[in-house]
Amino acid sequence: MPHDSVAPTPPAHTPAPASLRGKRIPVAILGATGAVGQTFVRLLEGHPWFEVTELAASERSAGRPYHEAARWIEGQMPARLREVQVLPCDPAAVRAPIVFSALDSSAAGDVEPAFAAAGRLVFSNAKNYRMAADVPLLIPEVNWSHVALLEKQRMLRGWSGALITNANCSVTVAAMALAPLHQAFGIERVFAATMQAVSGAGYPGVPSLDILGNAIPYIADEEPKIEEEMRKLLGTYGDGAVTHTPLRVSAHANRVAVEHGHTVCLSVGFARRVSPADVSEALRAWRGPDGIVGFLEACPSAPARPIVVTDAPDRPQPRRDVNAGRGMSVVVGRVREDALLDVKLVAMGHNTIRGAAGGSILNAELCVMGAPPVPAGLLAEITGAAAARAS
Ligand SMILES: NC(=O)C1=CN([C@@H]2O[C@H](COP(=O)(O)OP(=O)(O)OC[C@H]3O[C@@H](n4cnc5c(N)ncnc54)[C@H](OP(=O)(O)O)[C@@H]3O)[C@@H](O)[C@H]2O)C=CC1
Ligand SMILES: N[C@@H](CC(=O)OP(=O)(O)O)C(=O)O
């Protein structure tokens, strides 16, 4: 299939924004021992703008060298981090101005606001604050305009830092496929059935005897998250708030014996007559909102194409397509007429890269670039305060 399907590698050496003055920004990873935390470590190793300087996790891991605290899942742990001592998730112990959170939701609720209150720019993967009215829930190509919420958030909460969230991994895959169609034609109804990889359940996750040779038609809390987050992601920003789109969404969430890559089968009903050919054309042309395409092109983690459309009758497949765009592209195929709604299609994307760590890193890259409407001076304020703390 003609797409840029390659294994994840450190990002290309994109020129850094002038504001960095040749220096990389120190970043910390909270929840660094887990499946998403380790994906952050892998993706950030060799990153041209960010340098992982601190790793934090629970009290069970704090004080131990990283190689002892983390059971490394994929490839090799970067040698330079093996002996780094894991810190507790406490802003008094972790100094970096930018914090990537891969925390379990049981910890994220208290820890993430504590870091934002302590002047850090927090990029969260946890579910806790995604639906809060003053918290941006971002997929850059889908709804970057929602980052404008930060202004209100910092004022209302009195935070010198800020909190930005990522969407649930299944809804990320679905929303990337639906956003171009919603913008072009207006979607009224969506039926979504997922087939979700085991890495979505974290480490150690689902017991092997439950999942091998099996499919489990239940993932706790997943279906309401898909339905609600979709309406916020596809909503519009104006006057300091995001208006959720009045889309009717019905989701079925299933766990399958796949390592990485969430597949979502979608049937879509539009406000007007739309053909499969119209859908394919809109998906192929889509790059995201005009205002940020130039910024995205300069981001080391952005894929050349956010959506890769395939005409092959049996794709996308996680094993073959999950690393498209270094895990940052969503692959869409099987676009065809639907007897119940209008058009149906299949979307698949990497759950721990686009659906989690890679998505957060892309959000951070756009903030570093100051891609509008990021509040003016946000990064300078946060890194300046960090420099003052360090001196
Ligand atoms: N896996 C995926 O595809 C996706 C995951 N997410 C979300 O990302 C987050 C991380 O997921 P994942 O990596 O899969 O989960 P894991 O269970 O693999 O990792 C959880 C991490 O949280 C840490 N942690 C747990 N409890 C505490 C605590 N009380 N205080 C501090 N740290 C704690 C763990 O540290 P320790 O090792 O010390 O226990 C570990 O580092 C979750 O919120 C998840 O919902 C979002 C999208 C996709
Ligand atoms: N529930 C997802 C992963 C996840 O952690 O989602 P969330 O961050 O929305 O809880 C899965 O199992 O594949």
Side-chain angles (χ1 to χ4, degrees), residues 125 127 130 168-169 196-197 200-201 219 222 225 255 262:
N125 281 275
K127 65 182 177 186
R130 289 178 188 150
N168 165 276
C169 37
Q196 300 183 212
I219 300 176
E222 196 78 352
K225 274 188 288 188
R255 182 80 63 202
H262 287 358

Side-chain angles (χ1 to χ4, degrees), residues 7 84 86 115 127 142 187 189 197 230 282 329:
V84 167
V86 176
F115 274 86
K127 65 182 177 186
V142 170
I187 299 175
R189 286 179 296 169
M230 181 72 80
S329 295

Side-chain angles (χ1 to χ4, degrees), residues 180-181 185 275-286 309 335:
L181 310 182
F185 314 117
S275 71
D278 297 331
V279 164
S280 291
E281 195 183 318
L283 291 170
R284 284 184 209 276
W286 189 67
V309 180
V335 180

Side-chain angles (χ1 to χ4, degrees), residues 29-32 36 40 56-60 88-91 99-117 122-132 135 157 159 162-166 225 360:
I29 300 169
L30 311 181
V36 174
F40 272 116
S58 77
E59 295 298 336
R60 295 177 288 277
C89 290
D90 175 353
V99 172
F100 291 110
S101 168
L103 286 173
D104 187 81
S105 58
S106 60
D110 292 335
V111 171
E112 291 174 354
F115 274 86
V122 181
F123 294 91
S124 166
N125 281 275
K127 65 182 177 186
N128 309 58
Y129 295 98
R130 289 178 188 150
M131 298 307 292
V135 175
R157 301 200 187 227
W159 285 346
L163 174 62
I164 288 172
T165 59
N166 262 14
K225 274 188 288 188
S360 265

